[in-house]
Amino acid sequence: MKINFVINKHNVTVDVDPSMRLLDVIRNELHLTGTKEGCGEGSCGACTVLVDNIPYDSCLTPIANVIGKEVMTIEGIRESKEYNVIADAFAKMGGSQCGFCTPGMIIATYALLQSNPHPTDEEIKVALSGNLCRCTGYQGIINSVRLASQKGEKND
Amino acid sequence: MINHFIPKNLSEALDILSNHDCYIIAGGTDLMVQKHRSSGLLPTFEKDVLYISNLEELNFIRSDDKGVHIGATTKYRDISSSELVPQLFKDVISELASPNIRNMATLAGNIGNASPAGDTLVALYVLDAYLVLQNKESKREILVKDFIKGVRKIDRKPDEMITEIVIPHHDLHYYWKKVGSRAAESISKLSFLGAYITKEGIIKDLRIGFGSVSITVVRNRDIEKQYIGLKIDEFSQQIPEIIRKYDEIINPITDQRSTKDYRKKVAMNLLKDFLTKIK
């Protein structure tokens, strides 16, 4: 079935089974490999993308559900000025080690700071509670989000 | 050959259901896991699939004298930010799964999935919530407790779909506890919801529900009724008897998430804690 949607601000048509996971369309049809597959069952957040600006697990989303919608992956986020602030903060504060969870962490951070530019540590923890990291122990990530929030404020 | 249907509106969806036995997918957060095989492979649906996530007609929250009506495609994200939804229900949702899943998943889906560990089900039983099921010709209403027949067994005919959930208004004080391995993304080891109303020192309403301790939520109206109408000091003296009565009917199992002994012990401790806090 031909399915139309928007990916990273470009209209796209894919001819796939409607039950195909958005994750597989992104990685295998559109060859955007920044989005990672961790658990494949909605527990780790590595496959997080934005659908109409809301974070979704792309491993649980049948492509049928995004018809006509705007999907943003880490490749799209990278074009934003917010990305530079967030990525810089993750680099400075040790928010990324092996890097596998990082695209999902950055998208969760981006979505949090869009809706809540000055989160408390508790709000950061809740916003990232669906994103697992095996390396950092999370403190570096929380510090990164806090720094990104402060830097973003200066850039406003 | 499996058909995939992506209807444009409710009437088209009901037409399709009148001719095809379908899995109904809203957010997909349960079915896409259950039917998943391996990375890069399509999910294995053994019958037709109807995708309703984008049916805006069913994306609503409104309130009238019957209660709060929540549409079948309304996401948890919108339920938990609505001023119309009771705080008790928002508290339950705030501990459910993860932010991404709350952005995608629906209440109707949690009910349709009928998992013994479905987090919203305890609250829906305790609040006497009911569903509206619709087919091409008609609508019917059914209490959530009657709709759920067992583990993943529901009283839905192939031509029907859940179109809305109705949560009656209430004035209950409540005591909610979900017990899981971590704060986010855990499937409950057990959950407990106690609720009551007292007025001028008398118990006017008492409701007690346990999740994940049986194949469906445990709520026993016969036990509850015996204590409604008592003065609070009389009620306090009855607490050991109430605990004995629930002790007889709570029979959890051991599975990968917890043991029957742990579940039983914690369930009874939560019950006792709730009962002693009623004032």
Side-chain angles (χ1 to χ4, degrees), chain B residues 78-193:
Chain B
D78 299 317
I79 300 172
S80 57
S81 63
S82 166
E83 288 175 5
L84 300 174
V85 174
Q87 189 59 42
L88 186 169
F89 210 70
K90 291 183 185 178
D91 285 358
V92 172
I93 292 174
S94 72
E95 292 182 59
L96 184 148
S98 66
N100 286 8
I101 289 177
R102 294 195 292 271
N103 291 342
M104 307 162 67
T106 64
L107 180 56
N110 202 216
I111 298 167
N113 190 46
S115 157
D119 276 332
T120 64
L121 301 181
V122 187
L124 293 168
Y125 275 59
V126 166
L127 296 176
D128 294 327
Y130 60 94
L131 305 174
V132 179
L133 284 153
Q134 208 168 324
N135 67 11
K136 209 176 155 184
E137 274 85 40
S138 59
K139 285 184 186 183
R140 67 179 170 114
E141 293 177 354
I142 183 169
L143 284 167
V144 173
K145 79 168 175 71
D146 296 328
F147 180 72
I148 294 176
K149 296 292 191 193
V151 179
R152 306 207 188 284
K153 290 202 182 94
I154 53 175
D155 181 21
R156 177 178 84 85
K157 295 179 187 70
D159 67 344
E160 289 180 320
M161 66 186 274
I162 300 172
T163 50
E164 65 181 79
I165 298 100
V166 185
I167 303 174
H169 300 300
H170 67 83
D171 261 324
L172 295 157
H173 296 279
Y174 61 93
Y175 176 110
W176 158 250
K177 184 81 182 167
K178 169 174 172 169
V179 181
S181 300
R182 61 195 295 270
E185 306 198 57
S186 58
I187 301 173
S188 298
K189 292 174 193 285
L190 77 146
S191 57
F192 174 85
L193 177 61

Side-chain angles (χ1 to χ4, degrees), chain B:
Chain B
M1 175 70 192
I2 306 283
N3 295 301
H4 295 271
F5 300 107
I6 308 170
K8 293 199 170 45
N9 51 49
L10 177 60
S11 123
E12 195 184 321
L14 296 173
D15 271 347
I16 292 162
L17 288 176
S18 69
N19 293 310
H20 300 270
D21 183 10
C22 293
Y23 284 111
I24 303 177
I25 290 197
T29 59
D30 279 314
L31 276 170
M32 291 297 283
V33 175
Q34 288 162 25
K35 304 301 175 187
H36 176 55
R37 286 181 295 169
S38 181
S39 178
L41 296 183
L42 292 174
T44 48
F45 290 102
E46 62 280 1
K47 60 183 186 186
D48 296 348
V49 187
L50 179 74
Y51 300 88
I52 63 162
S53 179
N54 295 333
L55 293 184
E56 280 303 312
E57 281 162 282
L58 298 180
N59 182 10
F60 60 80
I61 300 171
R62 56 175 176 257
S63 183
D64 63 14
D65 54 346
K66 287 181 179 167
V68 180
H69 301 244
I70 298 173
T73 64
T74 309
K75 313 287 193 283
Y76 285 125
R77 175 193 178 90
D78 299 317
I79 300 172
S80 57
S81 63
S82 166
E83 288 175 5
L84 300 174
V85 174
Q87 189 59 42
L88 186 169
F89 210 70
K90 291 183 185 178
D91 285 358
V92 172
I93 292 174
S94 72
E95 292 182 59
L96 184 148
S98 66
N100 286 8
I101 289 177
R102 294 195 292 271
N103 291 342
M104 307 162 67
T106 64
L107 180 56
N110 202 216
I111 298 167
N113 190 46
S115 157
D119 276 332
T120 64
L121 301 181
V122 187
L124 293 168
Y125 275 59
V126 166
L127 296 176
D128 294 327
Y130 60 94
L131 305 174
V132 179
L133 284 153
Q134 208 168 324
N135 67 11
K136 209 176 155 184
E137 274 85 40
S138 59
K139 285 184 186 183
R140 67 179 170 114
E141 293 177 354
I142 183 169
L143 284 167
V144 173
K145 79 168 175 71
D146 296 328
F147 180 72
I148 294 176
K149 296 292 191 193
V151 179
R152 306 207 188 284
K153 290 202 182 94
I154 53 175
D155 181 21
R156 177 178 84 85
K157 295 179 187 70
D159 67 344
E160 289 180 320
M161 66 186 274
I162 300 172
T163 50
E164 65 181 79
I165 298 100
V166 185
I167 303 174
H169 300 300
H170 67 83
D171 261 324
L172 295 157
H173 296 279
Y174 61 93
Y175 176 110
W176 158 250
K177 184 81 182 167
K178 169 174 172 169
V179 181
S181 300
R182 61 195 295 270
E185 306 198 57
S186 58
I187 301 173
S188 298
K189 292 174 193 285
L190 77 146
S191 57
F192 174 85
L193 177 61
Y196 69 94
I197 297 173
T198 54
K199 201 175 168 190
E200 290 156 3
I202 292 172
I203 309 279
K204 293 286 182 187
D205 199 348
L206 177 69
R207 308 179 188 190
I208 294 167
F210 299 86
S212 303
V213 298
S214 180
I215 54 168
T216 62
V217 171
V218 173
R219 180 179 171 199
N220 188 308
R221 285 171 178 72
D222 293 334
I223 299 178
E224 294 169 4
K225 271 186 217 155
Q226 291 169 35
Y227 302 95
I228 294 171
L230 292 186
K231 290 186 184 139
I232 290 175
D233 51 348
E234 294 168 343
F235 178 81
S236 300
Q237 290 166 16
Q238 300 290 323
I239 289 177
E241 184 191 296
I242 301 174
I243 292 171
R244 253 198 319 279
K245 285 182 175 160
Y246 281 99
D247 191 64
E248 284 169 20
I249 62 167
I250 301 290
N251 293 304
I253 58 160
T254 295
D255 64 12
Q256 70 272 31
R257 283 191 297 283
S258 189
T259 64
K260 64 179 183 187
D261 293 342
Y262 177 85
R263 286 186 159 120
K264 177 77 180 235
K265 180 94 183 163
V266 176
M268 300 317 291
N269 285 350
L270 289 171
L271 172 66
K272 186 176 179 185
D273 193 38
F274 162 66
L275 294 171
T276 53
K277 286 195 162 97
I278 292 179
K279 57 180 190 297

Side-chain angles (χ1 to χ4, degrees), chain A residues 16-17 58 60 78 81 112 119 130:
Chain A
V16 297
D17 189 284
S58 62
L60 299 182
R78 204 172 69 174
K81 66 179 190 330
L112 168 67

